[in-house]
Amino acid sequence: DETNCNMTRPGICSFDSNNACGYTQDTKDQFDWTYKIGSTLSSGTGPNHDHTSGSGGYMYIETSFPRKNNDKARLVSPVFKSMTALDCYLRFFYHMNGTHINKFQVYRKSNLGSTQIQLWSREGSRINEWMRGVVRVPPYSSPFQTVFQGVAGASFTGDIAIDDVSFRDSCYQFSKCSSVKEFSCDNGYCVAKASRCDGTNDC
């Protein structure tokens, strides 16, 4: 409980810097998500600014040439340990506006293989503003990651964007620890969260 004390919880990100908070591009898809400040490159699609402050960054899929219909871009979260909470929710803001918007999907995938399940999906153009998405993440007994998948449409007016990703506290209730007030040690013991980074090894 005295290591990595300066690290924030995995998966939380406002994308206000280009380090993407530990999110990575899937190497087996057709193209990548793009970091952006301000408007996207194409008119008639995408946000004009980020959700957080209006002057920060966000991630989006650019669907202009050479993108083809149904090309996929996958942005993968840092690894979560096994999670036993029944009320874990992923929260984020998304923007889907344009004549050729295709699909935006959220998956949970095993960190140890290719197994994945779809947790959430939206399809087609929405209003021209940021909207809030809330997705329940079911309990899982092995390390896992969440995946944001943007699917390109038939033309350039299909940009999809995400910003301000967060998780409920219960999503970090790992191992046998029964309360969100407890910290899960690597050895399986549970200690009070107040003991985390207090200068004494309580695990």
Side-chain angles (χ1 to χ4, degrees):
D1 64 312
E2 298 304 313
T3 60
N4 299 323
C5 290
N6 293 323
M7 291 183 64
T8 58
R9 289 178 168 184
I12 297 175
C13 197
S14 64
F15 299 107
D16 282 337
S17 63
N18 200 12
N19 64 13
C21 311
Y23 283 81
T24 57
Q25 308 282 354
D26 194 323
T27 58
K28 297 180 181 179
D29 54 9
Q30 286 76 49
F31 69 116
D32 288 344
W33 286 78
T34 299
Y35 175 75
K36 186 66 178 175
I37 296 175
S39 300
T40 62
L41 300 177
S42 304
S43 61
T45 188
N48 294 320
H49 52 75
D50 76 323
H51 172 265
T52 314
S53 64
S55 59
Y58 59 91
M59 300 294 289
Y60 85 106
I61 61 166
E62 173 56 57
T63 59
S64 300
F65 182 84
R67 299 282 61 82
K68 293 177 288 189
N69 193 34
N70 292 323
D71 278 358
K72 297 176 178 65
R74 290 165 57 87
L75 190 66
V76 184
S77 77
V79 176
F80 286 79
K81 297 180 182 179
S82 58
M83 186 271 296
T84 59
L86 297 177
D87 58 346
C88 171
Y89 287 89
L90 160 64
R91 301 168 294 194
F92 55 92
F93 286 85
Y94 66 101
H95 191 285
M96 298 175 67
N97 183 256
T99 305
H100 295 96
I101 294 290
N102 198 333
K103 295 178 184 177
F104 179 36
Q105 299 157 317
V106 178
Y107 292 88
R108 183 197 68 197
K109 81 176 193 74
S110 168
N111 182 49
L112 304 177
S114 59
T115 303
Q116 66 175 20
I117 62 168
Q118 181 176 292
L119 304 177
W120 183 92
S121 181
R122 292 292 183 272
E123 185 172 357
S125 183
R126 309 280 161 149
I127 58 176
N128 188 19
E129 61 183 55
W130 288 98
M131 295 171 289
R132 189 170 189 254
V134 179
V135 181
R136 181 176 179 268
V137 182
Y140 199 59
S141 60
S142 301
F144 69 92
Q145 295 166 286
T146 55
V147 181
F148 291 108
Q149 177 171 283
V151 184
S155 188
F156 69 91
T157 54
D159 296 352
I160 297 171
I162 58 170
D163 199 7
D164 292 332
V165 181
S166 64
F167 291 80
R168 284 186 61 170
D169 284 349
S170 56
C171 300
Y172 302 97
Q173 181 182 325
F174 303 135
S175 187
K176 300 177 182 179
C177 301
S178 59
S179 168
V180 295
K181 296 182 179 180
E182 293 179 318
F183 171 78
S184 176
C185 303
D186 289 339
N187 59 13
Y189 287 101
C190 300
V191 298
K193 279 191 176 176
S195 300
R196 170 88 167 124
C197 299
D198 64 354
T200 301
N201 187 357
D202 303 287
C203 288

